[in-house]
């Protein structure tokens, strides 16, 4: 499948030129002409990489990056017209992977895109696969397994298990679990967390003779290995 690249750039001619080059290289390309549209698209998490101009109408590129980093870790290459050290440093500090100064040679941009995509791929497995002992969870494929054997989970059970595994060794209160798994506006029974923990224990702990999901009396639950 083609890698998807988002171009956030208000100079239409430049955006179009880069789009044509990237399409020619086999990438799938989407464009955003201003900061707000760029942020919205970036937050969708649908891109493998984004090229982000700094001088943008509405919201500048640094602000787009700052806000986007709260929710997504899409690799970003900043485009800057000014040869400003401050912009580059600020961009990198905010989590941009790289920057390129305009005007740039398209070959250099392509090389940086390839390098950034390569290093993003290397760190990908760690961020999407969770494991505790023999229990593994693949957040991209919505699957969980014990020692490689699939565990059938409902959507809610999966979300609860993922939250527990992401916070391995950290005690989570019932309220926290409720908010993260059921959402702030959940109006149902408050013991729903206990009910679902029971379901999970049946499928994981009891089914495999282990104890991973521990009750912390008066507080909530924690996933950990050992007692
Ligand atoms: Ca611009």
């Amino acid at each position: 499948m083609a890698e998807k690249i988002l171009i956030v750039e208000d100079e239409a001619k430049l955006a179009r030129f880069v789009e044509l080059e990237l399409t020619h290289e086999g990438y799938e390309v989407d464009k955003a002409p201003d900061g707000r549209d760029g942020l919205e698209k970036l937050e969708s998490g649908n891109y493998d990489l984004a090229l982000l101009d700094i001088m943008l109408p509405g919201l500048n590129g640094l602000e787009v990056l700052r806000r986007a980093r709260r929710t997504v870790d899409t690799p970003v290459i900043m485009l800057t017209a000014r040869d400003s050290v401050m912009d580059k440093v600020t961009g990198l500090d905010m989590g941009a992977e790289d920057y390129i100064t305009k005007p740039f040679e398209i070959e250099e941009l392509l090389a940086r895109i390839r390098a950034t995509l390569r290093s993003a791929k290397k760190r990908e497995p760690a961020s999407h696969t969770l494991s505790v002992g023999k229990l593994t969870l693949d957040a991209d494929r919505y699957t969980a397994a014990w020692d490689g054997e699939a565990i059938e989970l409902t959507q809610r059970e999966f979300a609860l298990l993922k939250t527990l595994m992401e916070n391995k060794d950290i005690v989570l209160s019932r309220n926290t679990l409720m908010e993260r798994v059921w959402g702030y506006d959940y109006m149902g029974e408050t013991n729903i967390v206990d009910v679902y923990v029971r379901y999970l224990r049946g499928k994981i702990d009891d089914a495999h003779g282990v104890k991973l999901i521990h009750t912390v009396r008066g507080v909530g639950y924690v996933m950990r290995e050992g007692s």
Side-chain angles (χ1 to χ4, degrees):
M1 219 169 66
E3 281 155 315
K4 280 186 86 170
I5 298 180
L6 174 66
I7 305 172
V8 189
E9 168 63 75
D10 58 314
E11 287 166 55
K13 268 170 120 175
L14 177 62
R16 180 75 187 132
F17 167 68
V18 175
E19 179 187 29
L20 286 173
E21 292 289 337
L22 293 182
T23 308
H24 181 71
E25 291 294 311
Y27 297 111
E28 208 176 301
V29 179
D30 218 347
K31 288 183 302 195
D34 61 66
R36 297 208 178 272
D37 187 31
L39 178 62
E40 200 172 298
K41 288 200 163 85
L42 202 48
E43 282 177 334
S44 72
N46 288 335
Y47 301 93
D48 297 293
L49 184 143
L51 301 175
L52 180 59
D53 185 30
I54 289 188
M55 298 292 280
L56 288 169
L59 216 55
N60 76 47
L62 292 173
E63 188 58 22
V64 170
L65 179 62
R66 193 178 69 79
R67 297 195 194 181
R69 277 291 173 263
R70 293 177 192 157
T71 49
V72 292
D73 61 358
T74 309
V76 167
I77 299 177
M78 305 292 300
L79 309 177
T80 168
R82 297 173 294 178
D83 195 8
S84 156
V85 176
M86 259 329 281
D87 279 350
K88 289 167 191 169
V89 171
T90 311
L92 294 174
D93 275 350
M94 283 179 175
E97 269 60 29
D98 203 356
Y99 62 83
I100 190 164
T101 307
K102 289 195 267 185
F104 47 77
E105 295 294 327
I106 193 70
E107 287 308 327
E108 188 189 352
L109 179 65
L110 291 173
R112 284 174 189 239
I113 287 174
R114 284 192 297 270
T116 303
L117 286 170
R118 254 198 319 273
S119 57
K121 242 181 224 147
K122 270 184 218 154
R123 55 161 215 252
E124 210 167 302
S127 60
H128 297 274
T129 309
L130 300 165
S131 69
V132 177
K134 289 181 175 174
L135 178 65
T136 53
L137 181 143
D138 187 326
D140 287 335
R141 294 180 180 78
Y142 275 87
T143 56
W146 181 267
D147 209 4
E149 202 174 310
I151 301 169
E152 296 295 326
L153 297 172
T154 64
Q155 203 182 331
R156 201 70 88 176
E157 289 167 349
F158 182 88
L160 178 59
L161 181 62
K162 181 165 174 266
T163 306
L164 288 167
M165 290 179 78
E166 280 169 345
N167 295 281
K168 188 188 164 215
D169 296 322
I170 297 169
V171 178
L172 298 170
S173 70
R174 285 180 177 77
N175 277 342
T176 300
L177 286 169
M178 194 111 113
E179 282 169 12
R180 295 205 192 155
V181 178
W182 281 268
Y184 286 93
D185 51 355
Y186 179 73
M187 299 291 278
E189 295 291 315
T190 50
N191 70 347
I192 190 85
V193 175
D194 307 285
V195 172
Y196 273 81
V197 164
R198 207 150 61 227
Y199 293 158
L200 278 186
R201 277 184 172 144
K203 293 181 177 185
I204 295 162
D205 289 3
D206 301 348
H208 304 99
V210 292
K211 192 158 173 59
L212 294 179
I213 306 169
H214 298 258
T215 304
V216 179
R217 203 163 294 163
V219 184
Y221 298 97
V222 59
M223 173 156 276
R224 68 164 177 258
E225 289 180 85
S227 53

